Amino acid sequence: MVIALNETQHGRPIGVKVREIRETLIKKKADAIIFSALDDIMWLMNIRGFDIPYNPLAFSIAFVTNSELHLFIDPTKIDKQVADHLNLGLVTVHSYDSANQFLQAWHEKNKSLQGYKVFVPNSTNYSLASIFGKENLLVAMSPIQMMKAVKNSVEMAGMRASHIRDSAALIEFLHWLEVEVEAGHDVDEISAAEKVRHFRAQQPGFVDLSFSTISASGEHAALPHYKYDAETGKAKIVKGGVYLVDSGGQYHDGTTDVTRTVVIGQGDDQFSFHNTLVLRGHIENAMAKFPKGIQGVRLDTLSRQALWEQGLDFGHGTGHGVGHFLSVHEGPCGISYRVSAGDEGLQAGMVLTIEPGYYLPGKYGIRIENCYELVEDAEHSAFLRFKELTLVPIQLTLIKKNLLEKKHVAWLNEYHATVLRVVGKYLLKTGKEAVYLWLEKQCVQLDEQSYDLWLTCV
Amino acid sequence: MVIALNETQHGRPIGVKVREIRETLIKKKADAIIFSALDDIMWLMNIRGFDIPYNPLAFSIAFVTNSELHLFIDPTKIDKQVADHLNLGLVTVHSYDSANQFLQAWHEKNKSLQGYKVFVPNSTNYSLASIFGKENLLVAMSPIQMMKAVKNSVEMAGMRASHIRDSAALIEFLHWLEVEVEAGHDVDEISAAEKVRHFRAQQPGFVDLSFSTISASGEHAALPHYKYDAETGKAKIVKGGVYLVDSGGQYHDGTTDVTRTVVIGQGDDQFSFHNTLVLRGHIENAMAKFPKGIQGVRLDTLSRQALWEQGLDFGHGTGHGVGHFLSVHEGPCGISYRVSAGDEGLQAGMVLTIEPGYYLPGKYGIRIENCYELVEDAEHSAFLRFKELTLVPIQLTLIKKNLLEKKHVAWLNEYHATVLRVVGKYLLKTGKEAVYLWLEKQCVQLDEQSYDLWLTCV
């Protein structure tokens, strides 16, 4: 099955997107371009599919010339509505299996006529590219990579709306978890992950999770990419133990990705120390103001400095791009310790995660992850800032106040005020009073006087 | 003329250096290596020359095989002492002009025997490389680049000692400048630059400046690479005006590079604001602790964040490598907004500048530059820190205290305590009591109570 997005979901019709691509072809002196990256094709055609778990993609190939637009896809996946949508976009639909033959014939015809150049994105597989013969290829980054990284206003509105609902679902989960564990009920990694899915699935527009939930108790959390199985997933979430949940959803209007690390009850001193270093690293990036167009590698250090100062570090990137109802990991932007391939720099309208962590093997792991949109700074238009999409409280009782500066506390207060205002309102509207009351406590404003209350303000 | 360094100056005999290079040849399966970068050759041969202003280099070519070591150089530049030195290092000396013929013959002989590979550093010029024929070339970064970037203990001792003398000379200059300007005497960019040279030239071991002094008054300082000429150099250094001096020396035991921006009398509010942002950016990097082996690009942001926060930036790199009695700009390490070519990461023993700036066209420019050695962190051996080589006070009366945090003030206090202890002692030893007394005032320790005195503590 394939679904078509309507204009209030995609914000830019096929025709407009194709026109931009054809302008690129003219600039590059190419006669055609082939797309085989599935998220490129879904974005271009304003469709989504269900062929791959967690990723709303359908197996397909697209071929764009200066006058034609071809989509190769299993025709049984296309119903009347999608066919009309594609027809309106002047898309010629072919069966997936006919792609090779079609492209071979196109090659023969154009080769004999006057010779040609075809733009082959560097993600294109070899067998497809080799149809055209080496001398006709122009290999470069897919132009759709940057086009879709910068969300249009409709896409961004969808990202914001889906993040409110998604945050509400995760807040419901965290509330449920505390109640269950405090009551002494059995909760293990598997049942917790199922509950994460359960609360998301109740939200309007829910399609799927955006990746397999990382539900990790205690030492399992020390493995950044931990995936529970039937055996390890029996690990209990216990009072005083660390629990890390990294999860996200696919909604008709957006894709989400969020990680919280919590302790039901009281965290120990060493954990709070490490947790505060990670939080500080998160906030340092979230507060940053930086020139438009810089590469993400230049922000990476901000999330590590507090850890470095203690001789610590973490072994993964600080952040990645996020698609709009597409892949949860999306290029070409990112915040890494390496320059990402094809990183043309950060622009307003991009969506990035910030997700520093710290992992103490055999004991626990910490990661605090939010999605942010990049917005132009209000004061200096040549500069960018992060604006939060994810709106889930960050546990205050796991913070050592002496490791934060006033500006970090101010950020945290503003963040929690926004969480309560925006998601709180949504929770009340959807009749979740008990969750709202719990959220209110999580979002308490900290002032100099109340600093000492932090460690007891559950 | 060419001079030979003795073992207490170079710390590693030719034979030891050549052995390391031959190990590289074995690893790379190469039969020989050619060197045409003059600083590579000077370093390898433990010699220095005088063919290029500010750079202690002699025109030459070196060729190293598994059993031979050839130096092509004008023989009239080699006196008995240097000849003995090279002889002891098993160097065969040839005239510079015979290089092509020699290499051509070597190529013919080895080609006909069994074929060969020659390692050609990527800085090698085309005509030299083409002697060997494409099929025999192995092109990569010169192995000497990293070898000489990491200073040995003798070289580093020389860098430290030469920086003390060089700092003393610059302090003498700054004292002289203040006395002259306060007395109402005429000082212009040219006479100031001559005085900078004069004080350096009186220091033991002085050979030359390490680059043409940037002596820039007022709006001239807004051009980061300003070079006065006979006309523009008449610009006066006046009370209340900004003066930027970027200069360095070549000594038998080291190379220096330092920039100070000063105002005789009182700086205005806007200047102090910008100056403090630059200082904060300098200190943020100087205080940083970071994992061994990271690329310099990851430190660059630290020196810009305070400026970025105000919507400001500067258009040059944050720092560059410095040679040991060699080129003042030396690869492959550096702190830039780009990944430097061949940057294999930062290591203990490297020498780097930190030199953020800010430039307000038509008004003034600011740059605060020190040289630092990279040292292993005392607490965490997998981490590095900067340790100051340059020991020249940073003008306290140009600082807005509300833009610095306690940790920045603590750094400044510690820096000034070191300046006074180390260079103060040297000034007294060399009979410069008046300069010492002036230095004492520049190095006043700031505490919370004395913050308010900053702007008057000349």
Side-chain angles (χ1 to χ4, degrees), chain A residues 289-291 294 298 300-302 304-305 308-313 337 339 380 383 385 405 407, chain B residues 289-291 294 298 300-302 304-305 308-313 337 339 380 383 385 405 407:
Chain A
K289 172 168 162 179
F290 47 90
I294 71 164
R298 296 179 65 193
D300 182 72
T301 294
L302 302 180
R304 296 182 197 268
Q305 243 200 318
W308 284 357
E309 201 46 52
Q310 305 296 333
L312 308 173
D313 201 357
Y337 48 91
V339 177
H380 301 105
F383 283 72
R385 277 193 181 284
E405 293 168 24
K407 62 182 182 186
Chain B
K289 173 168 161 177
F290 47 90
I294 71 165
R298 296 178 66 193
D300 182 71
T301 294
L302 301 180
R304 297 182 196 267
Q305 242 200 320
W308 284 357
E309 203 45 53
Q310 305 296 332
L312 309 173
D313 202 357
Y337 49 90
V339 177
H380 302 104
F383 284 72
R385 277 193 181 283
E405 294 168 24
K407 63 182 179 184

Side-chain angles (χ1 to χ4, degrees), chain A residues 409-420:
Chain A
V409 176
W411 182 91
L412 205 56
N413 279 339
E414 206 178 310
Y415 180 72
H416 278 141
T418 306
V419 169
L420 186 62

Side-chain angles (χ1 to χ4, degrees), chain A residues 14 55 121 179 196 234 288 298 313 354 418 426 429 450 456:
Chain A
I14 298 175
N55 294 283
V179 169
V196 168
K234 289 176 188 163
R298 296 179 65 193
D313 201 357
I354 297 175
T418 306
Y426 178 77
K429 211 181 75 182
S450 74
T456 53

